[in-house]
Amino acid sequence: MTVRVTTLTVEDIEERRARIKQVVDSDDFRERQAEGVLLAREEHLLEELDDLDYLQYGRVRVR
């Protein structure tokens, strides 16, 4: 088993968060989220956003 380790700077985290927020703030995404029909990759983006919040702030924001 191989474990991949990545070092992220605060700037890396903020840049990735901004790219994800651009997707999740779109009208199409919000509509699918409200209907409960997000694609697996879209669910993954929300999880990644939570992970980034935890890495930077030590907590996850309430949505």
Side-chain angles (χ1 to χ4, degrees):
M1 172 186 231
T2 303
V3 176
R4 184 173 172 207
V5 176
T6 303
T7 302
L8 297 172
T9 65
V10 171
E11 291 81 18
D12 293 335
I13 293 171
E14 289 172 350
E15 181 180 314
R16 181 64 183 152
R17 182 184 291 115
R19 284 187 275 159
I20 293 171
K21 291 288 285 175
Q22 186 176 11
V23 173
V24 300
D25 287 342
S26 73
D27 292 336
D28 290 338
F29 185 95
R30 292 290 180 198
E31 185 177 322
R32 285 191 304 279
Q33 187 178 29
E35 294 173 1
V37 293
L38 288 177
L39 301 172
R41 67 175 182 226
E42 293 169 328
E43 290 283 349
H44 179 73
L45 287 176
L46 291 175
E47 291 172 8
E48 185 177 353
L49 197 56
D50 288 342
D51 291 345
L52 292 171
D53 286 345
Y54 185 79
L55 283 172
Q56 188 168 5
Y57 304 117
R59 59 181 160 69
V60 176
R61 280 188 287 188
V62 176
R63 295 192 195 286

